[in-house]
Amino acid sequence: MTSNKGAMGEKTRNHGLRRSTNDDTVDDLTERWNETVETIDRLLTVRDDEGNLSEYRPDKRAEFHATDTGAIYRGTGSEWELADAEVAAVDANCVNCVEYVSTESELEDALPSGGIVVVCDDITLTSTVEATVTDDLWLILRPYTIRRGDDVNATMLDLTASGNVWIEGGIVDGNRAGQDFPAQKHDEVVLSNDGTDFLFIDGLTVVDNTNFSVRAAGWMGVLASDYVQRTHPETISNPVDAAGLDGFHVFDSHSVLLVNPDIRSGDDAVAVGARTAVTKHVNIRGGTLSSPVHANGVKLHTEYDADPIAAIETAVIDCQVYDTYGHGVTIVDDGDTGNPVEEVVVKGLVTGVGMDGAYLGATCNNVDVKLQVADAANHMVNLDGGGENASVCVNGTHDGTVTQAATGCRVNDYDEVVVSGSYDGKGVGTAGILLQSVSDVTVRANVSSFTDAGIRIDGSGQPDESVENVVMNTRIADVGGDGVLSVVPLHTATLDVQVDDPGNHGININDGGENVRLDATVYDQEQAGIRLDSVENVTVSGVIDGDGGGTNGVLLENGVTNASLSLVVRNVDGNGITAIDSSHVTVRGCVLSGLAGRPVYATGTSDYWVVTGNEGHSNGNPNVSLSATHKTVASNLFT
C-alpha cells in the first residue's frame, strides 16, 4: 500500500482517507475533519496479505488481520506484535468497536449505538433504515452500494444523531425507475442534529435520487469532500418532475464546507437554506455543479417560511458551474427577512446557464465577484438586492440567442462599486454594464457587441435621483445605442472612454449633472460623438472621428453652462461643435477639420462664448456662427 494525495490533500497512511491540506483555510471544521480522519485511520482494522505488514503504520490500538495466513497483529505505536490467542478469537463482527454488517437488519441494529460500522456487501433496502444515534458514528460504505428496493416509496436512510457522524465512500442508489415517481418523491439520506455536532461526508456517491439526495439539518458544521451525484436528468421527460431532485441540501447549520463536489442534479445542485437559525459561513471550493432541467447550480437562501432571525452571514463560492436551467449561482432572501449577507465571494467558471451567471437578489455587502462566464442567457452578473462595497470582475459572453433584457453586468442600489473585466454581448445582449441607483462607482472594463448602450447609468424612477462620484476608464465597441448613456443627473464624474462604432452617440449625458470631466476617443458614431444635456461645469478633451458620418462632433443642449472644450473633431457629417441654449462656453485649442458643416455653431439663447486659438481645414463652411450677444472669437485659423 502506498500513500498518495487525493483531491482534498494528503491521505492517511493505513486507509487512504483524505486529509485537508495545509493550504486550506484553518478553522474548526477542517481541524475537526483531520482529527476524525486520523482517529478512524488508527482504529479501523487493516486487512491485507501478511507480507505487506511493513507498509502500514503500527499505531496504538491498531490491528492488522492477515488475509492469507489468518494471523492477527496489534500495533504498539512503534512496531507490530503478533497478538495472543484471546485477541485472535474476538468475534469477527465486532473488533475493537468496529462492527461489520452485510444486511439491512444488521445495519439497522448497528447504527443506534454509534462506533465504527463497516458495510461489507451491497444492501437492498425493503424499508427505511431509521435510527437515533446516541454516540459518534463512523459509517464506512466504500466500495459497496445501498440500493432502494423496487416499490419502496420511502426515505432510504434517516439518522437523528446526538454525536458526530462520518460517512465514508460508497454508493446510494435511489432507484428512481423502480419507484412511483413522480407521484411520490422521497429523500434518499436524511441526517439531523441538534446543532452541537459535526457531519463529515467523504467520497459518497448518490445516483437516481427521487428527491433531496442528502438532506442535512441542524448541524454545528457540515463538511463534505468529493461528494458525487448523478440524478441523470436526461431521463426526465417533463422538467416539472425535476423539482425537488436537489443535490446536496443543508438547512440551519452553523457552517457548511463542500470540497470538490461533482454534481449533476435535477433541481439545485447545492442548496443551503436558513429557516430557524443563522448559518455563519458557507464555503464551496472546487468541483463541478450542473442542473440542466430545473433550478440552479448553487442556491443560498432564507426559506419562504423563515423566522425573522434566519440568515446566511458569509459565503465563499469558488467552483465550476455548467449547463443550468436557472442561475449559475443565486443568493436570495425568499423569507423576506431583510437580513443581509455580510460578505460574499464568487469565483470560478460559469458556462451554459439559462439565466444569470450569478444572481444576488438578497442584500449583500462586501461583494467580490471574479468570474469567467460563457454562454449566459441573461445577465452575466446581476447584483439586484442592493448593498455596500461591491467589486465585479467578469470575462464573459452571452450565448448568442438571448431574448431577455440581458446585460453583461447589472448593479442595482449599491454604494461603492467597482466593475472591471471584459463583456461580449454577442450582438444580442442589451447593455454591457447597467448601473442603477448607485454611487461611488469605478468602471474599468472592455465592452463590445451589445444592442443598446455599452454602459448605461440609470435610477429607479424616484424624484431627485442622481449618481455621484463616477470614474470610468473603459473601452467600448460595436454597440447599437450610445457608448455611455446617463439618464439620471451625473455629479462629480471623470470619464476616460474610448468608443468605436456606436449606433448612436459616443457619450450621452442626457439628464444633467455637474462637475464632469470627459476625455473621450470616439470613432464612427451615428449621431454626436459627445452629447451633453443640462450639464454644468464640464471639461471635454479627446478625439472624435466620425469617419464621414455622425451629425456633430460635440452637441450641447438645454442649458449647458461653464463648459471648456479642447479636443480634436474630424470627418463629421455636420458641425464640429453645435450648441443650443448653452452659455459660458470656452472653445480653445481645438482642431476641427474635415467637417461637412461649420467648426463651431451656437444658436438659441446661447451666450458668453469664447472661441480662441483653434484651427482646422477642409471644412464645408470655415466660419464660426454664434448667436451669443457676449462673445469673443479670435486667433482662429479655419479653412
Side-chain angles (χ1 to χ4, degrees), residues 363-367 386-390 413-416:
T363 300
C364 296
N365 300 322
N366 305 308
V367 176
E388 297 180 353
N389 189 15
D413 196 20
Y414 267 83
D415 296 329
E416 300 182 36

PDB file of all heavy atoms in Angstrom, residues 363-367 386-390 413-416:
ATOM      1  N   THR A 363     -29.930  41.344  -0.111  1.00  0.00           N
ATOM      2  CA  THR A 363     -28.997  42.417   0.226  1.00  0.00           C
ATOM      3  C   THR A 363     -27.655  41.798   0.591  1.00  0.00           C
ATOM      4  O   THR A 363     -27.569  40.959   1.494  1.00  0.00           O
ATOM      5  CB  THR A 363     -29.520  43.246   1.408  1.00  0.00           C
ATOM      6  OG1 THR A 363     -30.775  43.818   1.046  1.00  0.00           O
ATOM      7  CG2 THR A 363     -28.547  44.350   1.767  1.00  0.00           C
ATOM      8  N   CYS A 364     -26.611  42.196  -0.110  1.00  0.00           N
ATOM      9  CA  CYS A 364     -25.280  41.625   0.098  1.00  0.00           C
ATOM     10  C   CYS A 364     -24.260  42.756   0.204  1.00  0.00           C
ATOM     11  O   CYS A 364     -24.184  43.616  -0.690  1.00  0.00           O
ATOM     12  CB  CYS A 364     -24.890  40.696  -1.044  1.00  0.00           C
ATOM     13  SG  CYS A 364     -25.935  39.226  -1.213  1.00  0.00           S
ATOM     14  N   ASN A 365     -23.488  42.753   1.273  1.00  0.00           N
ATOM     15  CA  ASN A 365     -22.423  43.726   1.463  1.00  0.00           C
ATOM     16  C   ASN A 365     -21.068  43.063   1.252  1.00  0.00           C
ATOM     17  O   ASN A 365     -20.918  41.857   1.414  1.00  0.00           O
ATOM     18  CB  ASN A 365     -22.493  44.308   2.878  1.00  0.00           C
ATOM     19  CG  ASN A 365     -23.808  45.012   3.141  1.00  0.00           C
ATOM     20  OD1 ASN A 365     -24.352  45.685   2.268  1.00  0.00           O
ATOM     21  ND2 ASN A 365     -24.346  44.860   4.351  1.00  0.00           N
ATOM     22  N   ASN A 366     -20.077  43.893   0.898  1.00  0.00           N
ATOM     23  CA  ASN A 366     -18.709  43.382   0.737  1.00  0.00           C
ATOM     24  C   ASN A 366     -18.680  42.213  -0.244  1.00  0.00           C
ATOM     25  O   ASN A 366     -18.317  41.085   0.095  1.00  0.00           O
ATOM     26  CB  ASN A 366     -18.128  42.967   2.089  1.00  0.00           C
ATOM     27  CG  ASN A 366     -18.177  44.085   3.100  1.00  0.00           C
ATOM     28  OD1 ASN A 366     -17.716  45.193   2.838  1.00  0.00           O
ATOM     29  ND2 ASN A 366     -18.761  43.820   4.262  1.00  0.00           N
ATOM     30  N   VAL A 367     -19.086  42.514  -1.469  1.00  0.00           N
ATOM     31  CA  VAL A 367     -19.210  41.510  -2.529  1.00  0.00           C
ATOM     32  C   VAL A 367     -17.959  41.539  -3.409  1.00  0.00           C
ATOM     33  O   VAL A 367     -17.530  42.606  -3.849  1.00  0.00           O
ATOM     34  CB  VAL A 367     -20.459  41.781  -3.384  1.00  0.00           C
ATOM     35  CG1 VAL A 367     -20.543  40.807  -4.543  1.00  0.00           C
ATOM     36  CG2 VAL A 367     -21.709  41.705  -2.522  1.00  0.00           C
ATOM     37  N   GLY A 386     -29.125  45.121  -3.693  1.00  0.00           N
ATOM     38  CA  GLY A 386     -28.591  46.291  -3.020  1.00  0.00           C
ATOM     39  C   GLY A 386     -27.581  45.933  -1.953  1.00  0.00           C
ATOM     40  O   GLY A 386     -27.450  44.792  -1.522  1.00  0.00           O
ATOM     41  N   GLY A 387     -26.831  46.976  -1.536  1.00  0.00           N
ATOM     42  CA  GLY A 387     -25.824  46.766  -0.508  1.00  0.00           C
ATOM     43  C   GLY A 387     -24.720  47.796  -0.610  1.00  0.00           C
ATOM     44  O   GLY A 387     -24.863  48.842  -1.252  1.00  0.00           O
ATOM     45  N   GLU A 388     -23.595  47.483   0.025  1.00  0.00           N
ATOM     46  CA  GLU A 388     -22.434  48.361   0.048  1.00  0.00           C
ATOM     47  C   GLU A 388     -21.183  47.586  -0.320  1.00  0.00           C
ATOM     48  O   GLU A 388     -21.031  46.426   0.067  1.00  0.00           O
ATOM     49  CB  GLU A 388     -22.266  48.988   1.432  1.00  0.00           C
ATOM     50  CG  GLU A 388     -23.409  49.891   1.858  1.00  0.00           C
ATOM     51  CD  GLU A 388     -23.179  50.485   3.235  1.00  0.00           C
ATOM     52  OE1 GLU A 388     -22.204  50.087   3.897  1.00  0.00           O
ATOM     53  OE2 GLU A 388     -23.979  51.347   3.646  1.00  0.00           O
ATOM     54  N   ASN A 389     -20.324  48.252  -1.058  1.00  0.00           N
ATOM     55  CA  ASN A 389     -18.988  47.734  -1.347  1.00  0.00           C
ATOM     56  C   ASN A 389     -19.058  46.469  -2.200  1.00  0.00           C
ATOM     57  O   ASN A 389     -19.013  45.348  -1.691  1.00  0.00           O
ATOM     58  CB  ASN A 389     -18.221  47.462  -0.049  1.00  0.00           C
ATOM     59  CG  ASN A 389     -16.763  47.131  -0.317  1.00  0.00           C
ATOM     60  OD1 ASN A 389     -16.247  47.368  -1.403  1.00  0.00           O
ATOM     61  ND2 ASN A 389     -16.095  46.578   0.681  1.00  0.00           N
ATOM     62  N   ALA A 390     -19.150  46.666  -3.504  1.00  0.00           N
ATOM     63  CA  ALA A 390     -19.212  45.542  -4.441  1.00  0.00           C
ATOM     64  C   ALA A 390     -18.122  45.686  -5.485  1.00  0.00           C
ATOM     65  O   ALA A 390     -17.928  46.761  -6.057  1.00  0.00           O
ATOM     66  CB  ALA A 390     -20.575  45.492  -5.125  1.00  0.00           C
ATOM     67  N   ASP A 413     -28.683  49.609  -6.780  1.00  0.00           N
ATOM     68  CA  ASP A 413     -28.802  50.109  -5.411  1.00  0.00           C
ATOM     69  C   ASP A 413     -27.585  49.759  -4.562  1.00  0.00           C
ATOM     70  O   ASP A 413     -27.713  49.218  -3.460  1.00  0.00           O
ATOM     71  CB  ASP A 413     -30.083  49.564  -4.767  1.00  0.00           C
ATOM     72  CG  ASP A 413     -30.470  50.348  -3.511  1.00  0.00           C
ATOM     73  OD1 ASP A 413     -29.999  51.488  -3.357  1.00  0.00           O
ATOM     74  OD2 ASP A 413     -31.219  49.805  -2.684  1.00  0.00           O
ATOM     75  N   TYR A 414     -26.412  50.088  -5.063  1.00  0.00           N
ATOM     76  CA  TYR A 414     -25.166  49.849  -4.333  1.00  0.00           C
ATOM     77  C   TYR A 414     -24.379  51.140  -4.167  1.00  0.00           C
ATOM     78  O   TYR A 414     -24.341  51.981  -5.073  1.00  0.00           O
ATOM     79  CB  TYR A 414     -24.286  48.841  -5.075  1.00  0.00           C
ATOM     80  CG  TYR A 414     -24.485  47.412  -4.627  1.00  0.00           C
ATOM     81  CD1 TYR A 414     -25.532  46.651  -5.144  1.00  0.00           C
ATOM     82  CD2 TYR A 414     -23.652  46.841  -3.685  1.00  0.00           C
ATOM     83  CE1 TYR A 414     -25.733  45.350  -4.728  1.00  0.00           C
ATOM     84  CE2 TYR A 414     -23.843  45.536  -3.263  1.00  0.00           C
ATOM     85  CZ  TYR A 414     -24.876  44.791  -3.783  1.00  0.00           C
ATOM     86  OH  TYR A 414     -25.070  43.503  -3.367  1.00  0.00           O
ATOM     87  N   ASP A 415     -23.733  51.265  -3.018  1.00  0.00           N
ATOM     88  CA  ASP A 415     -22.733  52.302  -2.777  1.00  0.00           C
ATOM     89  C   ASP A 415     -21.354  51.653  -2.802  1.00  0.00           C
ATOM     90  O   ASP A 415     -21.171  50.553  -2.272  1.00  0.00           O
ATOM     91  CB  ASP A 415     -22.955  52.971  -1.419  1.00  0.00           C
ATOM     92  CG  ASP A 415     -24.275  53.717  -1.348  1.00  0.00           C
ATOM     93  OD1 ASP A 415     -24.713  54.218  -2.395  1.00  0.00           O
ATOM     94  OD2 ASP A 415     -24.860  53.775  -0.252  1.00  0.00           O
ATOM     95  N   GLU A 416     -20.399  52.349  -3.406  1.00  0.00           N
ATOM     96  CA  GLU A 416     -19.022  51.867  -3.522  1.00  0.00           C
ATOM     97  C   GLU A 416     -18.974  50.620  -4.412  1.00  0.00           C
ATOM     98  O   GLU A 416     -19.037  49.490  -3.956  1.00  0.00           O
ATOM     99  CB  GLU A 416     -18.407  51.565  -2.155  1.00  0.00           C
ATOM    100  CG  GLU A 416     -18.363  52.780  -1.247  1.00  0.00           C
ATOM    101  CD  GLU A 416     -17.709  52.466   0.079  1.00  0.00           C
ATOM    102  OE1 GLU A 416     -16.750  51.664   0.100  1.00  0.00           O
ATOM    103  OE2 GLU A 416     -18.176  52.991   1.098  1.00  0.00           O
TER     104      GLU A 416
END
